[in-house]
Amino acid sequence: MELSTLKDLYVHELKDLFSAEQQLVKALPKMAKAASNKELAGGFQAHLEQTKEHAERLQQILSKHQATSRGAKCKGMEGLVAEGAELIEEEADPEVKDAGLIAAAQFVEHYEIAGYGTARTYAELLGDQEGAKLLQTTLEEEKQTDEKLTKLAKLAINLAAAK
């Protein structure tokens, strides 16, 4: 894909985000299974459903621009997912592994927050009000997930790992 306009870059970013979400759809069940804390496992499962909605929103925006969701694999998310998979395979105390899983999940959330914020800004500049609104909704959900992970880490999991 040639990137000669901001719209080209916008569509490229949307496809990259779609790839990232698809990778998470595969990774989140593994993270839920690896978590020993029931609240953390449940959070990963809940975020899986939300992630599927995020992918649907991206497809909706792409179709409005006569673009498919097919594109290159998101290498950034691929690396983050690989790091999370390595952590899952580590031998660790359950509480320590849960703390690591939260850290891995927050790396993912911060990556997504950056991507969705960028795409939303492009949408606004290009006059894609509907796309900007959908991207803002997803951005807010990603921020809420990050806040939930922080709260869980601070109030329970990191404390248990520190003992």
PDB file of all heavy atoms in Angstrom, residues 1-25:
ATOM      1  N   MET A   1       0.843  -1.189   0.000  1.00  0.00           N
ATOM      2  CA  MET A   1       0.000   0.000   0.000  1.00  0.00           C
ATOM      3  C   MET A   1       0.879   1.240   0.000  1.00  0.00           C
ATOM      4  O   MET A   1       1.754   1.385   0.842  1.00  0.00           O
ATOM      5  CB  MET A   1      -0.906  -0.017   1.234  1.00  0.00           C
ATOM      6  CG  MET A   1      -1.736   1.216   1.412  1.00  0.00           C
ATOM      7  SD  MET A   1      -2.795   1.103   2.868  1.00  0.00           S
ATOM      8  CE  MET A   1      -3.980   2.331   2.438  1.00  0.00           C
ATOM      9  N   GLU A   2       0.633   2.117  -0.946  1.00  0.00           N
ATOM     10  CA  GLU A   2       1.375   3.370  -1.014  1.00  0.00           C
ATOM     11  C   GLU A   2       0.724   4.378  -0.079  1.00  0.00           C
ATOM     12  O   GLU A   2      -0.500   4.524  -0.062  1.00  0.00           O
ATOM     13  CB  GLU A   2       1.384   3.911  -2.443  1.00  0.00           C
ATOM     14  CG  GLU A   2       2.242   5.143  -2.588  1.00  0.00           C
ATOM     15  CD  GLU A   2       2.285   5.654  -4.020  1.00  0.00           C
ATOM     16  OE1 GLU A   2       2.246   4.823  -4.941  1.00  0.00           O
ATOM     17  OE2 GLU A   2       2.358   6.877  -4.189  1.00  0.00           O
ATOM     18  N   LEU A   3       1.543   5.063   0.677  1.00  0.00           N
ATOM     19  CA  LEU A   3       1.047   6.065   1.618  1.00  0.00           C
ATOM     20  C   LEU A   3       1.375   7.451   1.073  1.00  0.00           C
ATOM     21  O   LEU A   3       2.432   8.005   1.377  1.00  0.00           O
ATOM     22  CB  LEU A   3       1.684   5.860   2.999  1.00  0.00           C
ATOM     23  CG  LEU A   3       1.477   4.494   3.650  1.00  0.00           C
ATOM     24  CD1 LEU A   3       2.238   4.406   4.960  1.00  0.00           C
ATOM     25  CD2 LEU A   3       0.010   4.216   3.863  1.00  0.00           C
ATOM     26  N   SER A   4       0.473   7.993   0.274  1.00  0.00           N
ATOM     27  CA  SER A   4       0.739   9.306  -0.313  1.00  0.00           C
ATOM     28  C   SER A   4      -0.141  10.407   0.272  1.00  0.00           C
ATOM     29  O   SER A   4       0.103  11.575   0.020  1.00  0.00           O
ATOM     30  CB  SER A   4       0.592   9.247  -1.839  1.00  0.00           C
ATOM     31  OG  SER A   4      -0.687   8.789  -2.197  1.00  0.00           O
ATOM     32  N   THR A   5      -1.152  10.019   1.050  1.00  0.00           N
ATOM     33  CA  THR A   5      -2.028  11.014   1.671  1.00  0.00           C
ATOM     34  C   THR A   5      -2.280  10.632   3.132  1.00  0.00           C
ATOM     35  O   THR A   5      -2.027   9.491   3.534  1.00  0.00           O
ATOM     36  CB  THR A   5      -3.399  11.084   0.952  1.00  0.00           C
ATOM     37  OG1 THR A   5      -4.090   9.844   1.169  1.00  0.00           O
ATOM     38  CG2 THR A   5      -3.237  11.349  -0.541  1.00  0.00           C
ATOM     39  N   LEU A   6      -2.805  11.572   3.884  1.00  0.00           N
ATOM     40  CA  LEU A   6      -3.153  11.285   5.273  1.00  0.00           C
ATOM     41  C   LEU A   6      -4.244  10.210   5.327  1.00  0.00           C
ATOM     42  O   LEU A   6      -4.237   9.369   6.217  1.00  0.00           O
ATOM     43  CB  LEU A   6      -3.600  12.547   6.006  1.00  0.00           C
ATOM     44  CG  LEU A   6      -3.897  12.375   7.496  1.00  0.00           C
ATOM     45  CD1 LEU A   6      -2.651  11.918   8.254  1.00  0.00           C
ATOM     46  CD2 LEU A   6      -4.438  13.657   8.096  1.00  0.00           C
ATOM     47  N   LYS A   7      -5.133  10.210   4.356  1.00  0.00           N
ATOM     48  CA  LYS A   7      -6.171   9.176   4.330  1.00  0.00           C
ATOM     49  C   LYS A   7      -5.543   7.798   4.148  1.00  0.00           C
ATOM     50  O   LYS A   7      -5.960   6.833   4.793  1.00  0.00           O
ATOM     51  CB  LYS A   7      -7.206   9.428   3.238  1.00  0.00           C
ATOM     52  CG  LYS A   7      -8.310   8.383   3.278  1.00  0.00           C
ATOM     53  CD  LYS A   7      -9.414   8.640   2.302  1.00  0.00           C
ATOM     54  CE  LYS A   7     -10.424   7.511   2.422  1.00  0.00           C
ATOM     55  NZ  LYS A   7     -11.494   7.592   1.480  1.00  0.00           N
ATOM     56  N   ASP A   8      -4.524   7.696   3.300  1.00  0.00           N
ATOM     57  CA  ASP A   8      -3.814   6.424   3.132  1.00  0.00           C
ATOM     58  C   ASP A   8      -3.223   5.967   4.469  1.00  0.00           C
ATOM     59  O   ASP A   8      -3.314   4.798   4.831  1.00  0.00           O
ATOM     60  CB  ASP A   8      -2.678   6.547   2.110  1.00  0.00           C
ATOM     61  CG  ASP A   8      -3.152   6.799   0.695  1.00  0.00           C
ATOM     62  OD1 ASP A   8      -4.331   6.545   0.393  1.00  0.00           O
ATOM     63  OD2 ASP A   8      -2.318   7.269  -0.116  1.00  0.00           O
ATOM     64  N   LEU A   9      -2.629   6.902   5.176  1.00  0.00           N
ATOM     65  CA  LEU A   9      -2.024   6.583   6.472  1.00  0.00           C
ATOM     66  C   LEU A   9      -3.100   6.189   7.479  1.00  0.00           C
ATOM     67  O   LEU A   9      -2.907   5.253   8.266  1.00  0.00           O
ATOM     68  CB  LEU A   9      -1.208   7.773   6.975  1.00  0.00           C
ATOM     69  CG  LEU A   9      -0.416   7.563   8.256  1.00  0.00           C
ATOM     70  CD1 LEU A   9       0.587   6.412   8.110  1.00  0.00           C
ATOM     71  CD2 LEU A   9       0.303   8.851   8.642  1.00  0.00           C
ATOM     72  N   TYR A  10      -4.227   6.870   7.451  1.00  0.00           N
ATOM     73  CA  TYR A  10      -5.359   6.573   8.327  1.00  0.00           C
ATOM     74  C   TYR A  10      -5.843   5.142   8.095  1.00  0.00           C
ATOM     75  O   TYR A  10      -5.976   4.356   9.051  1.00  0.00           O
ATOM     76  CB  TYR A  10      -6.469   7.593   8.057  1.00  0.00           C
ATOM     77  CG  TYR A  10      -7.788   7.383   8.760  1.00  0.00           C
ATOM     78  CD1 TYR A  10      -7.865   7.112  10.122  1.00  0.00           C
ATOM     79  CD2 TYR A  10      -8.985   7.516   8.054  1.00  0.00           C
ATOM     80  CE1 TYR A  10      -9.097   6.965  10.759  1.00  0.00           C
ATOM     81  CE2 TYR A  10     -10.212   7.374   8.682  1.00  0.00           C
ATOM     82  CZ  TYR A  10     -10.263   7.095  10.027  1.00  0.00           C
ATOM     83  OH  TYR A  10     -11.486   6.951  10.658  1.00  0.00           O
ATOM     84  N   VAL A  11      -6.071   4.777   6.856  1.00  0.00           N
ATOM     85  CA  VAL A  11      -6.524   3.427   6.530  1.00  0.00           C
ATOM     86  C   VAL A  11      -5.466   2.403   6.940  1.00  0.00           C
ATOM     87  O   VAL A  11      -5.796   1.345   7.498  1.00  0.00           O
ATOM     88  CB  VAL A  11      -6.883   3.313   5.022  1.00  0.00           C
ATOM     89  CG1 VAL A  11      -7.090   1.866   4.612  1.00  0.00           C
ATOM     90  CG2 VAL A  11      -8.122   4.149   4.719  1.00  0.00           C
ATOM     91  N   HIS A  12      -4.212   2.730   6.729  1.00  0.00           N
ATOM     92  CA  HIS A  12      -3.112   1.839   7.135  1.00  0.00           C
ATOM     93  C   HIS A  12      -3.149   1.620   8.645  1.00  0.00           C
ATOM     94  O   HIS A  12      -2.994   0.491   9.135  1.00  0.00           O
ATOM     95  CB  HIS A  12      -1.779   2.451   6.705  1.00  0.00           C
ATOM     96  CG  HIS A  12      -0.591   1.629   7.037  1.00  0.00           C
ATOM     97  ND1 HIS A  12       0.073   1.733   8.235  1.00  0.00           N
ATOM     98  CD2 HIS A  12       0.062   0.674   6.333  1.00  0.00           C
ATOM     99  CE1 HIS A  12       1.087   0.878   8.258  1.00  0.00           C
ATOM    100  NE2 HIS A  12       1.092   0.226   7.115  1.00  0.00           N
ATOM    101  N   GLU A  13      -3.355   2.682   9.402  1.00  0.00           N
ATOM    102  CA  GLU A  13      -3.417   2.593  10.866  1.00  0.00           C
ATOM    103  C   GLU A  13      -4.618   1.760  11.302  1.00  0.00           C
ATOM    104  O   GLU A  13      -4.515   0.948  12.224  1.00  0.00           O
ATOM    105  CB  GLU A  13      -3.486   3.991  11.490  1.00  0.00           C
ATOM    106  CG  GLU A  13      -3.493   4.002  13.010  1.00  0.00           C
ATOM    107  CD  GLU A  13      -2.206   3.516  13.649  1.00  0.00           C
ATOM    108  OE1 GLU A  13      -1.142   3.554  13.004  1.00  0.00           O
ATOM    109  OE2 GLU A  13      -2.272   3.099  14.828  1.00  0.00           O
ATOM    110  N   LEU A  14      -5.755   1.937  10.644  1.00  0.00           N
ATOM    111  CA  LEU A  14      -6.943   1.151  10.975  1.00  0.00           C
ATOM    112  C   LEU A  14      -6.691  -0.336  10.748  1.00  0.00           C
ATOM    113  O   LEU A  14      -7.080  -1.174  11.570  1.00  0.00           O
ATOM    114  CB  LEU A  14      -8.141   1.616  10.139  1.00  0.00           C
ATOM    115  CG  LEU A  14      -8.655   3.025  10.415  1.00  0.00           C
ATOM    116  CD1 LEU A  14      -9.689   3.429   9.372  1.00  0.00           C
ATOM    117  CD2 LEU A  14      -9.213   3.158  11.819  1.00  0.00           C
ATOM    118  N   LYS A  15      -6.024  -0.679   9.655  1.00  0.00           N
ATOM    119  CA  LYS A  15      -5.709  -2.080   9.357  1.00  0.00           C
ATOM    120  C   LYS A  15      -4.728  -2.640  10.382  1.00  0.00           C
ATOM    121  O   LYS A  15      -4.840  -3.793  10.800  1.00  0.00           O
ATOM    122  CB  LYS A  15      -5.123  -2.212   7.943  1.00  0.00           C
ATOM    123  CG  LYS A  15      -6.149  -1.983   6.858  1.00  0.00           C
ATOM    124  CD  LYS A  15      -5.521  -2.135   5.478  1.00  0.00           C
ATOM    125  CE  LYS A  15      -6.579  -1.939   4.404  1.00  0.00           C
ATOM    126  NZ  LYS A  15      -6.165  -2.511   3.120  1.00  0.00           N
ATOM    127  N   ASP A  16      -3.776  -1.813  10.793  1.00  0.00           N
ATOM    128  CA  ASP A  16      -2.804  -2.237  11.799  1.00  0.00           C
ATOM    129  C   ASP A  16      -3.503  -2.510  13.130  1.00  0.00           C
ATOM    130  O   ASP A  16      -3.232  -3.510  13.791  1.00  0.00           O
ATOM    131  CB  ASP A  16      -1.726  -1.152  11.953  1.00  0.00           C
ATOM    132  CG  ASP A  16      -0.515  -1.636  12.705  1.00  0.00           C
ATOM    133  OD1 ASP A  16       0.175  -2.557  12.215  1.00  0.00           O
ATOM    134  OD2 ASP A  16      -0.247  -1.097  13.802  1.00  0.00           O
ATOM    135  N   LEU A  17      -4.415  -1.626  13.498  1.00  0.00           N
ATOM    136  CA  LEU A  17      -5.180  -1.821  14.733  1.00  0.00           C
ATOM    137  C   LEU A  17      -6.042  -3.070  14.640  1.00  0.00           C
ATOM    138  O   LEU A  17      -6.174  -3.811  15.620  1.00  0.00           O
ATOM    139  CB  LEU A  17      -6.046  -0.587  15.032  1.00  0.00           C
ATOM    140  CG  LEU A  17      -5.298   0.637  15.537  1.00  0.00           C
ATOM    141  CD1 LEU A  17      -6.188   1.879  15.463  1.00  0.00           C
ATOM    142  CD2 LEU A  17      -4.796   0.423  16.954  1.00  0.00           C
ATOM    143  N   PHE A  18      -6.629  -3.322  13.480  1.00  0.00           N
ATOM    144  CA  PHE A  18      -7.437  -4.529  13.302  1.00  0.00           C
ATOM    145  C   PHE A  18      -6.574  -5.769  13.505  1.00  0.00           C
ATOM    146  O   PHE A  18      -6.973  -6.707  14.199  1.00  0.00           O
ATOM    147  CB  PHE A  18      -8.094  -4.545  11.914  1.00  0.00           C
ATOM    148  CG  PHE A  18      -8.975  -5.738  11.716  1.00  0.00           C
ATOM    149  CD1 PHE A  18     -10.264  -5.758  12.226  1.00  0.00           C
ATOM    150  CD2 PHE A  18      -8.516  -6.865  11.051  1.00  0.00           C
ATOM    151  CE1 PHE A  18     -11.085  -6.872  12.065  1.00  0.00           C
ATOM    152  CE2 PHE A  18      -9.314  -7.984  10.891  1.00  0.00           C
ATOM    153  CZ  PHE A  18     -10.601  -7.986  11.393  1.00  0.00           C
ATOM    154  N   SER A  19      -5.389  -5.777  12.920  1.00  0.00           N
ATOM    155  CA  SER A  19      -4.473  -6.903  13.104  1.00  0.00           C
ATOM    156  C   SER A  19      -4.130  -7.080  14.579  1.00  0.00           C
ATOM    157  O   SER A  19      -4.107  -8.202  15.097  1.00  0.00           O
ATOM    158  CB  SER A  19      -3.195  -6.684  12.287  1.00  0.00           C
ATOM    159  OG  SER A  19      -2.215  -7.643  12.629  1.00  0.00           O
ATOM    160  N   ALA A  20      -3.877  -5.967  15.262  1.00  0.00           N
ATOM    161  CA  ALA A  20      -3.553  -6.022  16.691  1.00  0.00           C
ATOM    162  C   ALA A  20      -4.705  -6.646  17.477  1.00  0.00           C
ATOM    163  O   ALA A  20      -4.495  -7.523  18.331  1.00  0.00           O
ATOM    164  CB  ALA A  20      -3.249  -4.613  17.212  1.00  0.00           C
ATOM    165  N   GLU A  21      -5.930  -6.229  17.179  1.00  0.00           N
ATOM    166  CA  GLU A  21      -7.093  -6.755  17.893  1.00  0.00           C
ATOM    167  C   GLU A  21      -7.269  -8.249  17.614  1.00  0.00           C
ATOM    168  O   GLU A  21      -7.594  -9.024  18.514  1.00  0.00           O
ATOM    169  CB  GLU A  21      -8.367  -5.985  17.523  1.00  0.00           C
ATOM    170  CG  GLU A  21      -8.360  -4.514  17.910  1.00  0.00           C
ATOM    171  CD  GLU A  21      -8.390  -4.211  19.395  1.00  0.00           C
ATOM    172  OE1 GLU A  21      -8.137  -5.108  20.235  1.00  0.00           O
ATOM    173  OE2 GLU A  21      -8.659  -3.054  19.740  1.00  0.00           O
ATOM    174  N   GLN A  22      -7.044  -8.665  16.378  1.00  0.00           N
ATOM    175  CA  GLN A  22      -7.174 -10.082  16.035  1.00  0.00           C
ATOM    176  C   GLN A  22      -6.149 -10.926  16.801  1.00  0.00           C
ATOM    177  O   GLN A  22      -6.454 -12.041  17.236  1.00  0.00           O
ATOM    178  CB  GLN A  22      -7.019 -10.279  14.522  1.00  0.00           C
ATOM    179  CG  GLN A  22      -8.174  -9.718  13.712  1.00  0.00           C
ATOM    180  CD  GLN A  22      -9.509 -10.280  14.126  1.00  0.00           C
ATOM    181  OE1 GLN A  22     -10.321  -9.609  14.753  1.00  0.00           O
ATOM    182  NE2 GLN A  22      -9.770 -11.507  13.789  1.00  0.00           N
ATOM    183  N   GLN A  23      -4.957 -10.403  16.963  1.00  0.00           N
ATOM    184  CA  GLN A  23      -3.941 -11.118  17.738  1.00  0.00           C
ATOM    185  C   GLN A  23      -4.355 -11.236  19.196  1.00  0.00           C
ATOM    186  O   GLN A  23      -4.119 -12.264  19.842  1.00  0.00           O
ATOM    187  CB  GLN A  23      -2.586 -10.412  17.611  1.00  0.00           C
ATOM    188  CG  GLN A  23      -1.986 -10.517  16.217  1.00  0.00           C
ATOM    189  CD  GLN A  23      -0.678  -9.780  16.110  1.00  0.00           C
ATOM    190  OE1 GLN A  23       0.266 -10.090  16.831  1.00  0.00           O
ATOM    191  NE2 GLN A  23      -0.604  -8.810  15.216  1.00  0.00           N
ATOM    192  N   LEU A  24      -4.990 -10.190  19.714  1.00  0.00           N
ATOM    193  CA  LEU A  24      -5.442 -10.219  21.110  1.00  0.00           C
ATOM    194  C   LEU A  24      -6.582 -11.199  21.320  1.00  0.00           C
ATOM    195  O   LEU A  24      -6.679 -11.820  22.382  1.00  0.00           O
ATOM    196  CB  LEU A  24      -5.868  -8.823  21.562  1.00  0.00           C
ATOM    197  CG  LEU A  24      -4.724  -7.871  21.848  1.00  0.00           C
ATOM    198  CD1 LEU A  24      -5.263  -6.503  22.219  1.00  0.00           C
ATOM    199  CD2 LEU A  24      -3.832  -8.416  22.944  1.00  0.00           C
ATOM    200  N   VAL A  25      -7.430 -11.344  20.315  1.00  0.00           N
ATOM    201  CA  VAL A  25      -8.522 -12.314  20.416  1.00  0.00           C
ATOM    202  C   VAL A  25      -7.945 -13.714  20.653  1.00  0.00           C
ATOM    203  O   VAL A  25      -8.529 -14.509  21.383  1.00  0.00           O
ATOM    204  CB  VAL A  25      -9.417 -12.267  19.151  1.00  0.00           C
ATOM    205  CG1 VAL A  25     -10.321 -13.474  19.057  1.00  0.00           C
ATOM    206  CG2 VAL A  25     -10.237 -10.977  19.141  1.00  0.00           C
TER     207      VAL A  25
END
